[in-house]
Amino acid sequence: MPRPPFHRILVVDDEDYVRNAIRRSLRKEGYELFFACEPSEGLTVLRENKIDLVISDHLMPNMTGLEFLKIVHDRHPDCMRIMLTGHADMQTAIDAINQGEIYRFLTKPWDDTELKVTIHLAFEQLELMRENRRLMTAVRRQYDLIKSLEREYPGIGKLVRDADGAISLDRDTRPSTPETH
Amino acid sequence: MTAAPVLLVLQGEPPEPLVAGLSEAGVQFRRVSAQEAIRVSTSAHLAVCARVPAWQAVIARVYLGGGAAVIWGPPVAPLESRGLLPPHLEAVEDPAQLIGALRRAKERSLAAGNPQQLSEKLLERVESAERISRFAQSIATRIDLPDTIQEAIRRTRELCDSDGASLLLVDPASGDLFLDTVSGPQSQNMQSFRLRPGQGIAGKVAQQATSCLVLDARQDPDFDPRGDAATGLSIGSIIAVPLLQAGDVLGVLEAVRAARRRPFDPEELRRLEDLAPHVTIAVHNAQTNARLREFQLQLVSANSDLERKVHERTKQIRNATVEWERTFDAIEEPIALQEGFVIRRANIAYAKEVGLLITDVPGQTCHKIMAGLDSPCQGCPLPAGRVGELRGEFTMKSQSRLLLSGFWMSPHSTDNRVVVHYRDVTKQRSLEERLRESERLAALGQLASGAAHEINNPLGFLTSNLQNLNYCLEELRMTSSLATKALELLRADRSLEALKALEEIQYLEGESAANDGLDMINESLEGARRVGDIVRGLRELSRQEIARGEPCCVNASVTRVVRTEFGEQPPNVTLDLQAKIRAEIQPLQMDQVLGHILRNARQAIAGDQKVAVRTWNTDTEVIIQIKDEGCGIPPENLRRIFEPFFTTRGVGKGIGLGLTAAYGIIKRNGGWIDVQSAPGHGTTVTVKLPGAKPQEAAHQRTSAVALPL
């Protein structure tokens, strides 16, 4: 699948060095990177930019990562969410998955390769979803077209076959065909 | 005076004044014994008679012989002068009056008539006296009160020749007179007869305690005619005498004579008066006797009542004993009554606990059968006497833990009986132990989870950086090899190819990789340092031992730590160090605690805001107060300041273990810490620590004075 250039990633973490490390790890992956040191700043970035993926810490000042990702889910449903935290207790993970509907739950310390692969897979899924949505839209558009044609030319959408199974193109037989109604 | 000498009947020698007095008057006298006087005094003699035995007989004889006598001695009582004795018997004690008295006696004797008449009169009196004596005897031998009264009435009628007689008794409660027994015709009608004091003849006699002779009752205003009608007699004359008992009027003895007969004469009254004392004594005796019998009856009834009650009580006590025994046996916890360590009684649970028969328990000692020891258990509260409460916890032979509580039987310290109650707390103690264990584990878990987060963060960028460093190094290596290659190509004069290689180097951006690498190394080193800090903080937190050593001079510690945190002579710190005793804490720990608190204060203040440190002490505590004018702590954070890993400082600036550690140290040393704060109003931290023993105070003071600040 062809990857559109510059997928946009937002990293929210209150620790400078963590943001630096992620910046370096992802620098050569061909993404456009955004950073925020706390959730409210992250929400501002989300409003002003079309972000495809959010990677968030959990324990941060003023708001937890879980609360933040829930807001992201509500306001930007088309955005993938990954949690990256050192506070790896079971309850946080369960809540993040059930309430924040996150794509992955990663723990600190993380493996750079795993992080990259996860991001890559997330974008694949995102693209699939977008493709799906795009196809669905096309199908609906075509269906609407057929419906309007049918209204204009009743019976045009119906396929009439004769006794041999061949498609009959005889216009005169059309009104007597029971299938038209 | 006759020629016959005056007879002196005296006890012993006649007194000198008497003899002198007689001699002076020229009176002849002769000393005689009583017998001799009776014998010789047939012709008229004058006699001076002392109260020798039979003195009454001597005087009676002298008068019978036509003589006269005076008594030598104290005055004669009226009662004595009755009976056989003549009226107006004079008694003298003064010899000067003796002659006059003798003359008066002789004159009266002569005036009384001839001796013959007097003799008859006297004989009559003797006869009467004999009768009275006989009657008295007959009355006195009665025991019953009605019997006695009957007899007294019968004898009164006989003695006074009366038609009726009555004996009225005084009711001690009201003072009324009432008839106990009446004699005479129609006497039944008189049963309910009562007289108020002063009412009627008898009432008057009782009230005035004097005898009374009424010649004609019908003309006397005091007479109560009720008695007249009731007895059926037409009463004429009445004589009545009071029955006197030690000054009290016991009753009235009355005799009546019908109107048709002659009235009573004084002689008859005298007879009645003579009988009265005997009746009094007899009635009194009978009354006493009756009362005594009544008492006896009461006593017998009371006795049987008492016996019945004792029986009942015994039964109740026996019941109560059984009830209490059953009650104590029903209690499933061991209970014993002990005298000191020796068991007197115990319940079944006790016997079961020690594995003995209930009958074998009394007499044993508690430490022997409960704990299996020959001497009292260690920590036993019993030997301490009544100091403190009787409580203790012991491990028994059966390995169970028993909680003992004792109650003294009585508040007196001489009574060493005590009720001892045991409660099995084995299960409770093990549950508590498990609870403590799980609490410890929970706290440990919380700590571990906090620690994990704090460590995982730096660890996260550490590992990431190391992986990235790999790429940087790879790029630098490639740069280096391309450079080498370019150099070789240049040497071989293949400059076009060399240029291509150098272009490749440019593409690799080796310089930025190297810069990145340096950043990563620096950040990683910082991360590693933080992990180290956290581990050190945790170790400090988990150090559980209470280091006992030299007590700490808090003033010196404050000075030291202020210098470390704020520098020499800080302008924004004021010290007021008044503590006069040392605190029970190691100086190093004190420094740690103060370090954490003062560091917070330093970071809270800005500009020219100040920090004030005060120390002072009470008898038992040392108090340190650190007050800053800084930003203060919001309430939601104030609650959490002692929580491990709670910090409001930025990431990497504080690990949130400082106050936690300070709290731990203060608690372990038996101290107390309190933080008061509000945003914008600064923060006050107060630390209280137990003071050191007073004997170390002097040393403390000198060292406090020696401080540089």
Side-chain angles (χ1 to χ4, degrees), chain B residues 185-186 189-190 193 216-219 223-238 254 256-259:
Chain B
Q186 308 286 319
N189 300 341
M190 298 292 285
F193 183 77
D216 191 351
R218 285 162 302 180
Q219 284 166 21
F223 179 64
D224 187 345
R226 279 187 304 164
D228 205 11
T231 50
L233 279 172
S234 176
I235 292 170
S237 180
I238 299 174
E254 196 179 57
V256 295
R257 190 168 278 167

Side-chain angles (χ1 to χ4, degrees), chain B residues 80-144:
Chain B
E80 283 178 339
S81 69
R82 296 215 189 90
L84 292 171
L85 302 180
H88 311 300
L89 185 60
E90 222 172 322
V92 290
E93 286 175 286
D94 186 357
Q97 295 172 1
L98 184 64
I99 304 301
L102 280 172
R103 191 175 297 122
R104 283 194 296 277
K106 187 169 180 187
E107 279 164 9
R108 274 198 293 270
S109 174
L110 289 173
N114 63 44
Q116 191 55 46
Q117 268 179 333
L118 203 66
S119 153
E120 274 169 18
K121 223 176 197 172
L122 281 169
L123 279 172
E124 198 183 309
R125 280 198 194 167
V126 167
E127 200 183 318
S128 146
E130 275 172 3
R131 276 173 79 198
I132 288 169
S133 163
R134 209 166 58 241
F135 289 180
Q137 222 167 7
S138 131
I139 295 167
T141 49
R142 311 292 160 145
I143 294 168
D144 253 8

Side-chain angles (χ1 to χ4, degrees), chain B residues 333-633:
Chain B
E333 288 163 348
I335 296 175
L337 168 63
Q338 299 185 184
E339 234 170 82
F341 297 110
V342 181
I343 298 156
R344 287 285 165 244
R345 291 158 181 270
N347 67 347
I348 285 178
Y350 195 101
K352 219 153 106 187
E353 175 68 35
V354 298
L356 287 174
L357 283 175
I358 184 80
T359 48
D360 293 344
V361 174
Q364 302 271 16
T365 56
C366 55
H367 46 80
K368 176 81 187 162
I369 56 173
M370 268 286 181
L373 299 171
D374 288 330
S375 54
C377 310
Q378 202 176 0
C380 179
L382 273 182
R386 280 159 201 269
V387 188
E389 56 174 0
L390 281 177
R391 278 186 95 81
E393 206 178 303
F394 302 98
T395 305
M396 297 299 146
K397 259 194 313 198
S398 53
Q399 291 309 311
S400 49
R401 287 290 283 176
L402 292 190
L403 181 72
L404 172 152
S405 42
F407 309 90
W408 293 106
M409 259 294 171
S410 82
H412 306 294
S413 56
T414 45
D415 189 349
N416 66 342
R417 287 177 305 162
V418 59
V419 177
V420 181
H421 167 248
Y422 296 89
R423 196 153 58 84
D424 193 333
V425 290
T426 318
K427 221 174 254 174
Q428 195 184 330
R429 290 286 174 266
S430 89
L431 271 174
E432 282 170 6
E433 181 53 39
R434 268 160 61 191
L435 188 67
R436 264 200 296 280
E437 185 67 23
S438 68
E439 269 172 4
R440 257 202 301 276
L441 284 174
L444 192 66
Q446 200 186 358
L447 188 70
S449 136
H453 179 253
E454 292 303 314
I455 291 176
N456 282 340
N457 253 339
L459 220 51
F461 61 77
L462 252 165
T463 46
S464 173
N465 286 349
L466 288 175
Q467 287 168 39
N468 280 322
L469 267 173
N470 222 7
Y471 297 119
C472 290
L473 286 176
E474 181 62 23
E475 277 178 19
L476 289 173
R477 198 183 57 75
M478 276 168 68
T479 309
S480 158
S481 73
L482 279 170
T484 315
K485 189 176 162 194
L487 190 65
E488 278 169 9
L489 287 169
L490 273 175
R491 280 196 183 128
D493 224 4
R494 292 157 66 181
S495 56
L496 259 174
E497 283 169 74
L499 193 65
K500 224 172 169 180
L502 287 173
E503 273 172 355
E504 258 183 83
I505 289 174
Q506 200 183 9
Y507 176 71
L508 279 171
E509 295 176 346
E511 195 180 338
S512 85
N515 284 340
D516 257 10
L518 273 178
D519 280 352
M520 282 189 264
I521 287 167
N522 284 335
E523 286 176 18
S524 299
L525 281 174
E526 170 67 18
R529 188 187 57 71
R530 266 170 55 193
V531 172
D533 279 354
I534 290 162
V535 172
R536 201 163 30 252
L538 283 173
R539 201 169 49 205
E540 190 179 293
L541 199 65
S542 66
R543 204 178 287 139
Q544 286 291 337
E545 82 273 17
I546 304 164
R548 280 268 165 252
E550 187 81 352
C552 171
C553 168
V554 292
N555 297 347
S557 186
V558 166
T559 313
R560 207 159 43 228
V561 177
V562 164
R563 196 186 297 135
T564 317
E565 288 293 329
F566 292 88
E568 293 283 350
Q569 307 283 327
N572 50 355
V573 179
T574 55
L575 299 181
D576 177 18
L577 308 178
Q578 302 288 336
K580 300 284 194 292
I581 59 174
R582 288 175 179 242
E584 279 292 355
I585 183 170
Q586 266 202 333
L588 196 66
Q589 290 188 330
M590 188 75 248
D591 286 6
Q592 276 176 354
V593 169
L594 288 171
H596 292 308
I597 298 168
L598 283 167
R599 204 167 304 135
N600 283 337
R602 176 166 58 81
Q603 284 161 354
I605 58 171
D608 57 355
Q609 287 175 332
K610 297 229 178 329
V611 175
V613 185
R614 280 179 65 206
T615 68
W616 72 94
N617 65 283
T618 65
D619 289 346
T620 53
E621 285 173 325
V622 179
I623 299 126
I624 307 159
Q625 194 170 70
I626 295 126
K627 192 169 182 165
D628 69 58
E629 299 172 344
C631 53
I633 307 167

Side-chain angles (χ1 to χ4, degrees), chain A residues 1-4 6-10 26 29-33 51-55 78-80 82 103 116-130:
Chain A
M1 184 175 301
R3 196 172 66 193
F6 303 136
H7 266 129
R8 288 171 167 149
I9 299 176
L10 168 63
L26 301 181
E29 297 297 308
Y31 303 120
E32 194 175 343
L33 295 173
I51 302 292
D52 300 303
L53 173 69
V54 176
I55 298 172
D78 193 27
C79 180
M80 298 300 281
I82 290 175
Y103 174 68
K116 288 173 192 166
V117 170
T118 304
I119 291 169
H120 183 80
L121 290 175
F123 283 134
E124 261 187 17
Q125 181 161 340
L126 183 67
E127 288 311 316
L128 276 173
M129 274 159 50
R130 285 177 177 169

